[in-house]
């Protein structure tokens, strides 16, 4: 195994550890997905390396990428954020395994994926943007009235809402709402809640 092969492998292994243990786990604390991301990355890296050594076309490697994606995504429900981490782990493994032809380009692409994931999932980026499924104990067919009700209850600016269920019999509304909560105000409310808990 020559240096051109070892460089992408080493960069991928380093990137996989940083992605899972340095970025994902400190932010989201799901140990099971750390295992999944590392396992998928190393598995794809190993298979892609073998395909590369055997001289198999990169198209077959991309087909493997798609097959593994379908299998994993059908096995359990995960959030869109976790889907992004999952594909990042797949992509870095595939690039690392097939990148021996141009190790510098492969290393640069793996680094780019890692940097994008670090920035895109940073807590400071769009920290006031929230998404929640809310059930209100009133049937509110009017969107303007519903928006005002949600803003009053959430203490935030509603940016988008979609009514999932309007129950006129049981008098309730289930709504998928996206809203903007000022980060400073959110921290202030969290501190107030902690103070009330300690006093109680």
């Amino acid at each position: 195994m020559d240096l051109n092969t070892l460089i992408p492998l080493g960069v991928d292994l380093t990137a996989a550890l940083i992605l899972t243990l340095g970025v994902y786990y400190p932010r989201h604390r799901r140990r099971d997905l750390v295992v999944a991301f590392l396992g998928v990355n190393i598995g794809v890296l190993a298979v892609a390396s073998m395909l590369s050594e055997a001289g198999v076309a990169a198209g077959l490697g991309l087909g493997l990428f798609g097959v593994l994606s379908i299998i994993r995504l059908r096995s359990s429900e995960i959030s869109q954020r976790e889907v992004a981490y999952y594909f990042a782990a797949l992509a870095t493994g595939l690039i690392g395994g097939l990148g021996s032809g141009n190790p510098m380009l492969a290393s640069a692409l793996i680094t780019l994926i890692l940097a994008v994931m670090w920035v895109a999932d940073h807590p400071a980026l769009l920290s006031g943007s929230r998404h929640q499924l809310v059930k209100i104990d009133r049937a509110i067919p009017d969107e303007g009235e519903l928006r005002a009700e949600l803003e009053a209850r959430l203490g935030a600016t509603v940016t988008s809402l979609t009514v999932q269920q309007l129950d006129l019999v049981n008098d309730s509304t289930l709504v998928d709402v996206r809203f903007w909560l000022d980060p400073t105000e959110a921290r202030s409310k969290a501190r107030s809640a902690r103070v009330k808990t300690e006093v109680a």
Side-chain angles (χ1 to χ4, degrees), residues 187-200:
R187 285 193 294 270
S188 176
K189 287 181 178 180
R191 282 195 297 269
S192 299
R194 283 198 298 270
V195 170
K196 288 179 181 178
T197 303
E198 289 170 2
V199 169

Side-chain angles (χ1 to χ4, degrees), residues 32 47 70 74 80 133 159 164 170 193 197:
D32 59 329
V47 173
I70 293 169
R74 285 173 61 87
Q80 293 302 311
L133 195 63
T159 56
Q164 301 286 328
N170 297 314
T197 303

Side-chain angles (χ1 to χ4, degrees), residues 1 7 9 21 23 32 34 56-57 65 74 80 96 98 101 104 125 130 133 141 148 152 160 168 170 172 191 193:
M1 189 174 287
I7 289 174
L9 294 182
L21 300 177
V23 179
D32 59 329
V34 169
V56 180
F65 185 100
R74 285 173 61 87
Q80 293 302 311
L98 297 174
M104 298 312 294
L125 182 67
R130 308 292 172 86
L133 195 63
S160 174
L168 298 174
N170 297 314
S172 65
R191 282 195 297 269

Side-chain angles (χ1 to χ4, degrees), residues 141-162:
D142 181 77
E143 185 175 320
E145 184 183 351
L146 179 58
R147 183 181 295 271
E149 179 73 15
L150 287 167
E151 289 184 343
R153 294 197 182 201
L154 297 172
T157 302
V158 173
T159 56
S160 174
L161 63 88
T162 304

Side-chain angles (χ1 to χ4, degrees), residues 32-181:
D32 59 329
L33 286 180
V34 169
V35 176
F37 297 150
L38 284 174
V40 164
N41 178 268
I42 302 305
V44 170
L45 178 68
V47 173
S49 297
M50 291 302 296
L51 292 176
S52 178
E53 290 292 329
V56 180
L60 183 56
L62 293 174
L64 171 68
F65 185 100
V67 170
L68 289 174
S69 302
I70 293 169
I71 292 171
R72 178 62 185 91
L73 294 177
R74 285 173 61 87
S75 62
S76 66
E77 184 177 349
I78 56 177
S79 71
Q80 293 302 311
R81 177 190 286 116
E82 288 153 352
V83 168
Y85 276 100
Y86 177 67
F87 276 105
L90 274 172
T92 55
L94 192 58
I95 293 169
L98 297 174
S100 58
N102 192 339
M104 298 312 294
L105 176 60
S107 301
L109 290 173
I110 291 171
T111 303
L112 176 63
I113 292 170
L114 183 62
V116 168
M117 291 303 298
W118 184 84
V119 172
D121 191 39
H122 197 281
L125 182 67
L126 301 174
S127 59
S129 182
R130 308 292 172 86
H131 173 221
Q132 199 167 350
L133 195 63
V134 178
K135 187 171 186 178
I136 300 176
D137 57 352
R138 286 174 53 208
I140 308 176
D142 181 77
E143 185 175 320
E145 184 183 351
L146 179 58
R147 183 181 295 271
E149 179 73 15
L150 287 167
E151 289 184 343
R153 294 197 182 201
L154 297 172
T157 302
V158 173
T159 56
S160 174
L161 63 88
T162 304
V163 176
Q164 301 286 328
Q165 184 179 39
L166 182 65
D167 193 336
L168 298 174
V169 176
N170 297 314
D171 199 25
S172 65
T173 307
L174 182 66
V175 56
D176 185 313
V177 59
R178 288 167 172 78
F179 57 96
W180 181 265
L181 183 63

